[in-house]
Amino acid sequence: MARWDDLRTISLERKYLSDEDRRTLLDEHFFERAMQVYLGAMPAVNMVAIRDGSQAVFGSGYNVLPIWKSRMDARCKVPTPNADVVYAMSYLDLKADGPLVVQAPPGILGMLSDFWQHPLSDVGMVGPDRGQGGQYLLVPPHFDGPIPDGYYVLHSSTYNVFLFWRAFLTPGPDGPDPAKAVETLEQTLIYPLRESNPARWERMEFPDASGVDLDMLFPRDATYFDRLAELIEYEPVDSGEMYLRGQMASLGIIKGQPFAPDDHLREILQAAAEVAPRLSVAVNTTPDSFPDREYYTGEVRRRWVNGWPDLDELFRANSYLSLDMIQSYFLIAYSASPAMAKTVVGGGSKYPSTFFDADGDYLSGERSYRLHLPPHPPARLFWSVTIYDPTDGTMIRNGQPFPSINSLDGRVTANDDGSFDLYLGPQRPDGVPEANWLRTNPEEGYLLNLRLYGPTLPFYDGSWIPDDPVRVD
């Protein structure tokens, strides 16, 4: 019998509840509140965990910009990272430093967002500077000082701001070369608007994050709520949605008040923090969870899904906010920008993903598959295929340098017609080039992600459709 059937047996015949029934219902109330707070706050706590994981190793400050100078690999535990670009990520504090000027270098694909992961702006190729580089001014909440001319002005609802740059690899004799991308990213300059004397700016630091063990995942236990309470206390009241704040208040997370749950409530929070991520996995891996989620449902049916099915960058549809899509996305990913949700032919990026093979079965690490990409994948910049843990979005630790194949690697072999056959499985099939194979871990499922950078018209008009993975064992 389901739990709600137990609750429906509670008697109200005598117009009041027994102590046992009252406690049962209140426990259910607080558990449900905790579940919804966990799911609703996932974008923010996701961001807090990424910041804290980085700053624990590299330190904090507007001048600290870690760069994965040899690309990001599975030693960095962060949701759905990209091994086929060079990342730079920083965490700015407008309460500590006031308005900040960010000099973005040319030729990047980047974004700036608040700590609820509401995008402030795309930056670079699909931003207002159009890839030429430019000066962005980050303004804190409720700032009433003068704002000078000459900047792309961005008003943040939170004091904390996330800076996320990506620069592109170039082909090299031994595979993709990150040197030029690193050189580009190290042109970033950040300084306080209030300080006009460059001699007083903190010197930019660009620590190398490649090869460093980093845990940037949000908690799956009751400490999740502690991290959330700290953020709520630090940020202004109007930086978050009031209905969610009402749910938080039921648990004692209220700005201006200490968060001190007793042992019984902490036990409930622990249970919710264990169940909520599992619920998100269930929603995310159910094919019909969202309307129009699948990319290809016409005469040619495929199981690749869209992270923004008829939604904008805030996950809004025409008449509602897609709460299920938010919790599914931020379970295994981070950062959202207008360019990700829009149709930008030849610019931006798209990320078709699948959990399933051509038979509709979940992808399984002990099986072998062939993934056929039709001739000339529609990516002006490059394409890549990467495998991830479907429960938290981390890269699969498969023993290869990167759990990814990309078109910048001159070792990947194309077919005569310009198509590609890529293989996934625990063993490389006979005759398959090493560069066309991704090793999978037996007894582990995985998420398969296809990235298209600079997607061209054949992607949008459906004249180019990737196959589903087909079993070959």
Side-chain angles (χ1 to χ4, degrees):
M1 183 168 62
R3 191 176 69 204
W4 54 82
D5 285 333
D6 290 329
L7 298 176
R8 285 192 298 214
T9 65
I10 291 176
S11 173
L12 279 171
E13 284 186 15
R14 301 185 65 183
K15 311 305 180 189
Y16 64 85
L17 297 167
S18 69
D19 285 346
E20 180 182 357
D21 287 345
R22 178 175 51 79
R23 286 193 296 268
T24 296
L25 287 169
L26 286 175
D27 283 353
E28 179 68 19
H29 167 71
F30 289 121
F31 176 76
E32 291 178 359
R33 280 282 193 265
M35 286 281 290
Q36 294 308 312
V37 167
Y38 190 105
L39 297 171
M42 201 179 285
V45 184
N46 175 311
M47 197 71 264
V48 167
I50 292 172
R51 177 199 65 190
D52 292 352
S54 175
Q55 292 185 348
V57 176
F58 303 115
S60 61
Y62 65 79
N63 61 312
V64 179
L65 179 59
I67 301 174
W68 280 260
K69 298 181 182 181
S70 301
R71 303 162 63 184
M72 188 181 283
D73 63 24
R75 283 171 287 190
C76 181
K77 295 171 66 176
V78 70
T80 51
N82 188 344
D84 302 300
V85 293
V86 177
Y87 273 4
M89 302 197 299
S90 183
Y91 317 90
L92 309 175
D93 187 344
L94 305 180
K95 181 183 280 190
D97 300 309
L100 288 172
V101 177
V102 177
Q103 176 67 55
I108 65 168
L109 187 63
M111 66 185 72
L112 293 157
S113 68
D114 71 17
F115 255 46
W116 285 95
Q117 300 209 46
H118 299 146
L120 303 177
S121 179
D122 286 303
V123 177
M125 297 168 58
V126 291
D129 65 274
R130 300 302 179 198
Q132 302 304 304
Q135 293 193 107
Y136 291 77
L137 178 60
L138 296 171
V139 180
H142 311 298
F143 179 75
D144 59 2
I147 297 177
D149 296 330
Y151 301 96
Y152 301 112
V153 179
L154 306 177
H155 294 266
S156 177
S157 71
T158 59
Y159 294 114
N160 286 282
V161 172
F162 178 45
L163 179 153
F164 184 21
W165 293 169
R166 289 161 290 179
F168 298 108
L169 305 166
T170 55
D174 300 314
D177 184 356
K180 200 171 188 63
V182 172
E183 181 182 341
T184 295
L185 294 171
E186 289 184 344
Q187 297 176 40
T188 302
L189 178 62
I190 305 170
Y191 59 90
L193 178 68
R194 66 172 181 261
E195 185 53 76
S196 60
N197 185 354
R200 295 196 181 112
W201 299 345
E202 295 288 344
R203 182 181 178 86
M204 291 297 297
E205 298 176 12
F206 303 104
D208 187 357
S210 290
V212 178
D213 289 313
L214 292 171
D215 187 349
M216 305 169 85
L217 298 176
F218 57 82
R220 266 72 169 172
D221 60 26
T223 62
Y224 181 101
F225 298 95
D226 299 301
R227 305 280 278 276
L228 174 60
E230 291 172 5
L231 182 70
I232 293 302
E233 184 60 29
Y234 194 79
E235 296 291 352
V237 169
D238 55 2
S239 68
E241 200 273 324
M242 292 301 287
Y243 185 84
L244 181 60
R245 284 180 177 271
Q247 293 177 314
M248 293 181 203
S250 297
L251 307 175
I253 300 176
I254 303 171
K255 185 175 174 64
Q257 299 183 21
F259 176 56
D262 61 23
D263 290 344
H264 184 65
L265 179 55
R266 187 160 285 276
E267 183 180 355
I268 293 173
L269 298 178
Q270 178 68 28
E274 292 177 9
V275 174
R278 291 174 167 85
L279 173 61
S280 287
V281 172
V283 172
N284 203 23
T285 58
T286 300
D288 56 354
S289 295
F290 314 104
D292 303 318
R293 191 184 185 198
E294 294 186 350
Y295 270 113
Y296 310 109
T297 57
E299 184 177 338
V300 178
R301 169 86 185 280
R302 297 287 187 269
R303 292 179 171 82
W304 297 91
V305 296
N306 184 358
W308 284 272
D310 292 329
L311 304 172
D312 67 10
E313 69 275 9
L314 296 175
F315 299 92
R316 297 175 301 195
N318 288 332
S319 61
Y320 65 92
L321 178 67
S322 181
L323 301 178
D324 287 340
M325 197 65 245
I326 290 173
Q327 74 179 52
S328 297
Y329 182 84
F330 289 107
L331 174 77
I332 59 169
Y334 65 96
S335 73
S337 77
M340 291 180 178
K342 290 179 180 176
T343 298
V344 184
V345 178
S349 49
K350 292 297 177 185
Y351 310 95
S353 301
T354 186
F355 301 94
F356 303 100
D357 65 17
D359 297 321
D361 298 322
Y362 288 116
L363 295 169
S364 180
E366 67 266 16
R367 296 171 181 163
S368 294
Y369 305 91
R370 181 182 67 252
L371 172 63
H372 179 74
L373 301 180
H376 314 300
R380 182 177 64 84
L381 299 172
F382 74 92
W383 58 263
S384 68
V385 171
T386 312
I387 52 177
Y388 295 104
D389 184 321
T391 66
D392 61 18
T394 54
M395 288 186 191
I396 297 291
R397 294 195 176 209
N398 65 351
Q400 294 176 314
F402 304 99
S404 178
I405 297 170
N406 70 68
S407 60
L408 297 173
D409 190 342
R411 297 167 296 180
V412 178
T413 301
N415 299 320
D416 292 342
D417 63 354
S419 66
F420 292 86
D421 286 315
L422 310 179
Y423 291 81
L424 308 100
Q427 302 292 331
R428 179 162 57 97
D430 292 341
V432 171
E434 179 84 23
N436 287 50
W437 167 63
L438 287 176
R439 180 186 288 119
T440 58
N441 298 325
E443 301 181 2
E444 287 185 3
Y446 56 91
L447 162 66
L448 183 64
N449 179 259
L450 170 63
R451 284 183 168 88
L452 300 169
Y453 273 86
T456 55
L457 188 59
F459 170 76
Y460 291 108
D461 68 15
S463 58
W464 186 90
I465 299 178
D467 283 9
D468 288 326
V470 176
R471 284 189 62 178
V472 293
D473 58 357

